[in-house]
Amino acid sequence: QVQLVESGGGLVQAGGSLRLSCSVSGSIFSINTMGWYRQSSGKQRELVADITSGSTTNYADSVKGRFTISRDNAKNSVYLQMNSLKPEDTAVYYCNAEVRTGLRGLTGMDYWGKGTLVTVSS
């Protein structure tokens, strides 16, 4: 029984910043990759950034240089610092985590948060 809860979304003007947080709770043995996805109206959900258990990061080209993903393994949390926000960043942002709940199995299973809305005004 694993749950992900996002926070930090809201309304911000273009050029501003927001910091998203996601906390994972439940039966956790370890967490492999964690990431942030977003979905805008009329578009499919897309990867924004992810980070491995070894802190290797990956970013969508559209956010490189503006967003920074990080994690705190002691808190089972992942964060997304979003700077220089643009109206096109407006979307529902979803937290994702690959969670191992037992000793067996190295890949774990994917879990998703319910999303937090980020709105960037022009």
Side-chain angles (χ1 to χ4, degrees):
Q1 197 168 351
V2 176
Q3 293 182 322
L4 280 65
V5 179
E6 304 102 331
S7 63
L11 175 64
V12 66
Q13 290 183 302
S17 299
L18 284 174
R19 180 178 171 86
L20 304 183
S21 299
C22 173
S23 295
V24 184
S25 62
S27 182
I28 302 169
F29 178 78
S30 64
I31 303 176
N32 297 331
T33 301
M34 307 179 79
W36 290 94
Y37 293 71
R38 68 186 181 188
Q39 187 168 22
S40 302
S41 297
K43 298 182 65 178
Q44 291 193 103
R45 187 174 299 185
E46 64 176 356
L47 174 69
V48 178
D50 59 21
I51 182 168
T52 68
S53 59
S55 296
T56 299
T57 58
N58 176 55
Y59 297 92
D61 288 341
S62 59
V63 307
K64 285 181 179 177
R66 300 188 298 121
F67 292 9
T68 302
I69 190 170
S70 61
R71 63 190 288 168
D72 186 338
N73 292 328
K75 296 181 179 179
N76 293 326
S77 297
V78 63
Y79 311 94
L80 186 68
Q81 179 66 47
M82 304 185 293
N83 298 326
S84 302
L85 283 161
K86 305 174 181 179
E88 49 263 46
D89 294 319
T90 296
V92 176
Y93 284 71
Y94 297 90
C95 179
N96 173 78
E98 181 187 340
V99 181
R100 295 177 62 195
T101 58
L103 184 61
R104 290 187 175 183
L106 298 175
T107 57
M109 295 181 62
D110 280 340
Y111 293 87
W112 294 88
K114 294 182 178 180
T116 184
L117 178 63
V118 172
T119 303
V120 184
S121 64
S122 60

